[in-house]
Amino acid sequence: MRFEKGHKAATRQHILEVASKSFRRDGVSAAGIAGIMSEAGLTNGAFYPHFASKEALVREALASILADQQRRLEEDQRTGMDLEGAILRYLNRAHLEAPACGCPSATLLPEIARQPLATRQTYEEGLRSYVSALAALLPDAGSATSGRRAMAIFALMVGTLQLARAVSNVAEAEQILEGGVEAALRLAYAPSTQRRQKSAKRTA
Amino acid sequence: MRFEKGHKAATRQHILEVASKSFRRDGVSAAGIAGIMSEAGLTNGAFYPHFASKEALVREALASILADQQRRLEEDQRTGMDLEGAILRYLNRAHLEAPACGCPSATLLPEIARQPLATRQTYEEGLRSYVSALAALLPDAGSATSGRRAMAIFALMVGTLQLARAVSNVAEAEQILEGGVEAALRLAYAPSTQRRQKSAKRTA
DNA sequence: TGTACATCAGTGAACGCGCGTTCACTGATGTAC
DNA sequence: TGTACATCAGTGAACGCGCGTTCACTGATGTAC
């Protein structure tokens, strides 16, 4: 059957959206092409006219999720949200319970580290701009250390959400989220005047 | 062939060790029984006299890794290592480059969250005692909040190592590790007197 | 305006392969006599 | 002490299944005349 103009692009977009959710829900290696296609209402044969390989799909899905995430953060910034708002938007129960629609770092990060270079580079690009946007919300935005501090805050957010998702008790999961919010705010807003004195002797 | 006494137990232990590395190196779902067995110098048929299923192996491997990790931390404590020492032992290049021998949370956490309940509970138990041991190293050890602070510090360590492993540039990875160390030390030792004032209006 | 044809998104069966799991079998050694 | 046998850890082929991928085919619609 022949379809109206733009149909193929729309299908492709639809596959991408289904895949984005599948990968985050089941993990990249556990999510299969046939499953994704049937979830998209298509048969597995229809996959290859749209994507060159599963790897290509992973890469595109990752890029698309990261772009979305970035867009959302920037939109929040535009409407006046501060870093605390960004942290609370990340570390909350809704995000905890919807991994398939949430941050890919929280669901896929160790698996991304095992992907081919091209995929890792796609991720890296998205990570970099996300962390930059986060850094721009820091009190000392633009300073030499704001970037690495933003990275640490993001690491804390990712780790916290992962841990909260791994525990089976919901109350405990929420405790972990709260502890993560507290710590992230401390990293974001506490005075950085106090520098460690002990580290020199150890890192030497 | 019949083997000397204790041979079966030794083989079982060997399979467990190989599996522990495989899971961390390749991920639980990407690591296969046949691969693990052949890496252990056996054929796939020899697996089932030792373990009931792959799931059982995952559970046992996880328990064994977590017990090891716990043992190592406690031994460090006994030889006078402080929290900073623990942080530096976790966030360094050796650990970065040897995921197969390192912390299972850094390699498997999102995947653990997708495992059956029994596996998740095994993990939870190990996590709880590891974080307790970490909490005991905090300046305010034993206080009401030391547990959740230790959890946040651990979350930061896990997230930092994962991010550092995902980036392709080693120098950048080390930057991330350093930023993580700094932030973890800040969470560990910075005065917690300053409480956030803004959060009330947001969490409400 | 009506008809014939080319297009091409999607179908569905098949490819080789590896998965987790099962099972009849092997054969060196410990044990019983 | 020497022989016959029971034991049982490990072998390796096979099970059904799903994987990623390929490909000959379908058939409704846009286009050309």
Side-chain angles (χ1 to χ4, degrees):
Chain A
M1 359 173 176
R2 199 169 188 191
F3 299 86
E4 67 262 46
K5 219 179 170 183
H7 178 98
K8 190 176 185 186
T11 300
R12 188 191 149 89
Q13 186 55 35
H14 181 52
I15 296 171
L16 213 44
E17 277 160 20
V18 170
S20 297
K21 284 186 189 167
S22 285
F23 289 145
R24 285 177 281 183
R25 189 184 57 229
D26 305 326
V28 169
S29 78
I33 300 292
I36 288 166
M37 292 306 282
S38 90
E39 205 183 320
L42 296 159
T43 54
N44 51 353
F47 177 76
Y48 288 88
H50 292 287
F51 301 94
S53 64
K54 185 185 180 182
E55 191 198 319
L57 177 66
V58 170
R59 212 160 43 232
E60 283 216 46
L62 205 49
S64 142
I65 302 168
L66 289 165
D68 267 18
Q69 198 177 215
Q70 177 78 8
R71 199 178 312 117
R72 214 151 15 191
L73 180 62
E74 274 165 1
E75 198 178 306
D76 282 350
Q77 267 175 261
R78 236 177 290 112
T79 62
M81 183 176 267
D82 60 2
L83 183 54
E84 175 166 3
I87 291 165
L88 290 169
R89 176 170 272 239
Y90 193 100
L91 293 176
N92 62 47
R93 189 151 169 189
H95 195 184
L96 176 81
E97 288 172 349
C101 303
C103 176
S105 301
T107 41
L108 300 174
L109 193 41
E111 217 174 350
I112 288 167
R114 295 180 205 115
Q115 297 299 310
L117 185 60
T119 308
R120 288 202 334 266
Q121 283 172 340
T122 296
Y123 173 75
E124 227 172 309
E125 213 172 293
L127 173 68
R128 226 185 299 278
S129 46
Y130 189 82
V131 171
S132 292
L134 227 47
L137 294 172
L138 280 172
D140 64 337
S143 79
T145 60
S146 72
R148 77 150 58 180
R149 284 180 62 220
M151 182 68 84
I153 291 170
F154 185 59
L156 172 60
M157 285 163 41
V158 169
T160 297
L161 192 54
Q162 286 182 7
L163 285 169
R165 278 177 181 157
V167 306
S168 50
N169 182 307
V170 182
E172 208 167 334
E174 287 196 310
Q175 286 280 320
I176 294 173
L177 290 183
E178 280 178 38
V181 171
E182 247 173 56
L185 289 174
R186 193 117 78 87
L187 290 178
Y189 297 117
S192 66
T193 49
Q194 139 147 2
R195 292 277 298 170
R196 56 211 163 99
Q197 329 92 301
K198 302 171 65 187
S199 64
K201 72 161 200 273
R202 290 213 170 262
T203 42
Chain B
M1 359 172 176
R2 201 171 186 189
F3 299 84
E4 67 262 46
K5 219 179 168 184
H7 178 97
K8 190 176 183 186
T11 301
R12 187 189 149 91
Q13 186 55 36
H14 182 52
I15 296 170
L16 214 44
E17 278 161 19
V18 170
S20 296
K21 284 185 190 168
S22 285
F23 289 146
R24 284 176 282 183
R25 189 184 56 229
D26 305 325
V28 169
S29 79
I33 300 293
I36 288 167
M37 291 306 282
S38 91
E39 205 182 322
L42 296 160
T43 54
N44 52 353
F47 177 78
Y48 289 88
H50 292 288
F51 301 94
S53 64
K54 184 183 181 183
E55 191 197 322
L57 177 67
V58 171
R59 211 158 45 230
E60 283 216 47
L62 205 49
S64 141
I65 303 167
L66 289 165
D68 268 16
Q69 196 176 218
Q70 177 78 9
R71 200 180 311 117
R72 216 156 8 196
L73 180 61
E74 276 165 1
E75 198 179 305
D76 282 350
Q77 268 175 264
R78 235 176 290 113
T79 62
M81 183 176 265
D82 60 0
L83 183 54
E84 175 166 4
I87 291 165
L88 289 169
R89 176 170 272 239
Y90 193 100
L91 293 176
N92 62 48
R93 188 150 168 190
H95 194 182
L96 176 82
E97 286 171 352
C101 302
C103 175
S105 301
T107 40
L108 300 173
L109 193 40
E111 216 174 350
I112 288 168
R114 294 178 205 117
Q115 298 298 310
L117 186 59
T119 308
R120 287 199 339 260
Q121 283 172 339
T122 296
Y123 173 75
E124 227 171 310
E125 215 172 290
L127 173 68
R128 228 185 298 278
S129 45
Y130 188 82
V131 171
S132 292
L134 228 48
L137 294 172
L138 279 172
D140 64 336
S143 78
T145 59
S146 71
R148 77 152 55 181
R149 283 182 60 221
M151 183 66 84
I153 291 169
F154 185 58
L156 172 61
M157 285 160 44
V158 169
T160 297
L161 192 55
Q162 287 183 7
L163 285 169
R165 279 179 182 155
V167 306
S168 49
N169 182 307
V170 182
E172 207 168 333
E174 286 196 310
Q175 286 281 322
I176 293 173
L177 290 183
E178 280 178 38
V181 171
E182 248 173 57
L185 289 174
R186 193 116 79 87
L187 289 178
Y189 297 116
S192 68
T193 48
Q194 139 146 1
R195 292 276 298 169
R196 58 213 162 99
Q197 328 91 300
K198 302 172 64 188
S199 63
K201 71 161 202 274
R202 291 212 170 262
T203 43

